[in-house]
Amino acid sequence: MRSGFSIIVVFVALAICGCVLLPLLPVKLFPSRELPSLTVSFEMPYNSARVIEQEVTSRLEGALARVEGVRGIKSRSGNGRGTVNLSLDRHADIDMARLEVSTIIRQLWGSMPEGVKYPEVSARQAKDEAKAPFMTYTVTSPMTSMEINSYIEDKVSPRLSDIPGVASVQLHGAVPNEWRLEYDADKIAAMGITPQDITRAISRHYATEFIGMPVSRDGLVRLVKKPRGGLDSFNPSEITVTASDGTFVTLDKIVKTSYTDGTPTSYFRINGLNSIYLNITAEEDANQLEVGETVARVIADAKAQAPAGMDFILSNDATDTIREELDKIYFRTGLTVLILLLFIIIVTRNFRYTALIVVSLAINLAIAVIFYYMTGIEIQLYSLAGITISLNLVIDNTIVMCDHYMRCRDRRAFPAILAATLTTAGALVVVFFLDEDVRLNLEDFVIVVIVNLLVSLLVALFLVPALADRFAVSARKRRRGGRWSRKVALLSNRIYRGYIRFSLRWKWGLVVVMAALIGLSGWQFFSKVREGGYFNRDQGERMLYINASLPNGATLSQMDALMRRMESYLAGFQDIRQFQTNIYNGRQGSITVRFTKEGAKNGFPYRLKSDVVSKALTLGGGSWSVYGLEDHGFNNDVRESAGSFKAKISGFNYDELMSYAVELRDSLLSRRHIKEVEIKSDYSYWKTDYTEYSLAVDRRALASAGLTVQDFYTALSQVFGRDMKCGSIQSGGVPEPIRLSSLQSGMYDVWSLLNVPLSVKGKDYRVSDFAEFERGSAPQDIVKENQSYRICLQYDYIGSNEQGKKLLDRRLDEFNAKLPAGYYAESDEWHWRWKDKDYSRYMLLGVVALIIFFLSSVLFNSLLRPLAIIAVIPMSYVGIFLTFWFFDLKFDQGGFASFILLSGITVNAAIYLINEYDALRVRLGRKGVRFYMQAFRVKIMPVILTVISTVLGFIPFIVGTDRESFWFPLAAGTIGGLLFSLIAIVGYLPMMLLPHLPRRARKSSRRESEMGM
């Protein structure tokens, strides 16, 4: 008794420690574990993909290739932007890699060309929502947007950044004003002035130059040449440019100056309002609920001290969703515990027994918190669901140990509990062998379940016996039933004994029947079950997504006008809580619609979706897609297929690679069965409408005129220069750029460009004398893989698919024979692959069976017993097959997880029965049907209790109107498999365990006794 009291005290102390550590666990909505990949992204507005690739991307790529642990590197350069993606080894330290990448960027930053925004380093995460801002404030004020921006950056952002748990504070919506200078190319050419001269003059006017550090009486003195112009004003009459004849011309004589609003590169609005948006992102290990409360206090204080008229409006708060999800999880957990406890009370009718279960479960969860803290577990959707699901598994261990200890007053059931727990944990371990994105989502879920199960072993071994002694819990004496109950019991025992003897005689026949059932149900499952997930994927609220696209050549203002028309329509609905608009460029824009709680419950989202589709059809001017909720989406984008045949050519020089790609395209087009071949940077399902003009220069004609390509390009850039950045001034602490453009850049069409005289080195030429323009499709981006350029070709073949493959292979072999070293062309085939349809992952179930085999072999000291246990697993799969096929359910990652979970928990009942049968056989020295029946009568009630309790524990995941992705398929598949596993345990386990019974065996009990059966 004293030992038991000491054990209880120790466990209570550990539980108190867990309760103390509970508030220290990070709380968030989605897991923030990072994939082994880093992305460096930057912007360089108003520059082409070629310029960005040569000036920035290639330099970054070459430097970042030295980072330790890099497995592959890819880069993409587009118009005005670029990215470099580093694929790291799965064992690489991503934090150290990020630090090394940041250091390299800082070293290169000083040598980067002007106009490049500082690159951002980010890690790709399992959930994109994990790195999204969790709080957004709209700042309104009578001041200008840049004045608001400056005030927030000076007064509010530093205070928010100092809050523990805040990762970043970003401001959106402020576009600085700019000075636009427009020159007449013909006029300055006549004066012998170039745009570069104007740029150098502006730079000299505002430049601060370091002269030197002479020695004085007081020591070294730093001499600096101050700029002639004030840094806070721009006056073109004060800036002089030197003409070709040596005269000085003031800038106001050759340029037209205007002070205008800055040109935005994208738009972000909430509820259609142009405002300043303050986005706050939390750190990965932060408790977002606590951080949100602190941010709210800081904003309230800043609002009280803000200038008159400034207001901070909370536009988005993810902590509300976190609280709703936590309430949902708490409800599920409470409902699970309530169902299990009611079930235990009804079955046992012993309140002390129920109290023991409750105390053991509470202490188990509290102690598990210690290990959550030590392993860095986050409290989010997956980990909370793991806690809920593991409750019934933990209770199973407690029930089995308590039932055995009440009958025998010893701990001999622990080896079976240990083996059953380890098999379940071992089955879950295979999640770590899945794809990275799937593994990182489920990692916390698996760790939580394993931790709870391992802690339950300690509770079952030490705490449950101590509590049973302390609570004086003993086995309830069975009352002798009435005459009819005894007859029913005898009849059921006789029927089951007769079935066992029948199954032993016709063992192979029943094996064939079960194999046929497994095969038939599996075929129905894999051929007819709908693949895919549910539309409300792990989100606490329903949202409607509206996307718009415009053809190539559309401007940002055109897309903005189109999106504003849809915003005006949405603004008329009161049940819309908020809609966020993102306009990325002139071709793409999106609107995300969130609903009020009342509107989400009364069917309004579905009506709005139908209305939005009707509105999109009337707007026109672009293509619209509307999706979300639980039904199919809408898309009116009509495009032609890009083709099913693909080829890829790679090399180290982009210009030569493009010429080789054109040569390969012409070679393919020489065949009558091929009508059109697209050259682009990526494969796609649809043809793109991206076209551009290319200038084919005749170098011989230039050489005969004594000109170079550089001379020709300089003359063209002088006429068509646009948005060239010359410098910037500080107006009220806000940088305002100065941009230079040509008057003719917006006037000339293609004919004018080719035929209007162009002055080159003092002589007039026409562009058509040296070059001609061609319009055609071209790669919009420049892509490199492992520092090798890549260009893709795609087309359709009219005729047999096999013949088309042979033609492509033959052409590529001939083409590769002519390519120089460093260049290579190869074909690609379509690989249709859905993650939920990747059958290769089902091979991991064999790993689960192997783990269970070795653990069972150690427990039973046999190589045959584990085979009987493993045979139960495929039989239980029939329950999954039939559940998904019969109820026509969608199968996603949760369905696959039910296979893994079921592999670990269905064998538990077999382990308990076999362990009890072996104990009787060792104690009595006999074996056979009679002793198996005795073991069956002892363990069948705990087995049924554990199976039913597990089934009841999953019921909260399938009740309600919403079928959540992952959790609903997981619960449905596990319930179906568990119920069918009872059939396997009762009907097939004795057949797999007991020796074959000859057909001549008699049914008499005397003969059975003589045979020792």
Side-chain angles (χ1 to χ4, degrees), residues 9 178 198 278 290 489 558 574 657 784 847 876 915 939:
V9 171
E178 61 185 19
I198 299 175
L278 180 63
E290 295 182 356
Q558 291 173 335
Q574 295 182 352
L657 187 67
K784 295 175 71 176
V847 178
S876 64
N915 184 69
K939 285 298 182 182

Side-chain angles (χ1 to χ4, degrees), residues 482-500 933 936-937:
R483 178 180 178 183
W484 286 104
S485 62
R486 290 197 302 270
K487 284 185 177 183
V488 171
L490 290 173
L491 180 61
S492 61
N493 288 336
R494 188 177 303 169
I495 292 175
Y496 187 52
R497 184 184 289 109
Y499 167 77
I500 292 177
M933 287 292 298
F936 182 82
R937 286 193 297 269

Side-chain angles (χ1 to χ4, degrees), residues 56 62 93 174 191 233 241 252 357 381 411 480 549 583 809 825 851 859 863 883 921 954 991 1011:
V56 184
D93 188 338
M191 300 173 65
S233 63
V241 182
D252 60 328
I357 299 295
L381 293 182
R411 294 179 172 87
R480 294 181 60 88
S549 61
I583 302 178
D809 293 338
I851 293 173
L859 172 64
L863 295 178
T883 299
R921 191 183 59 173
F954 279 99
M991 181 184 67
M1011 293 178 61

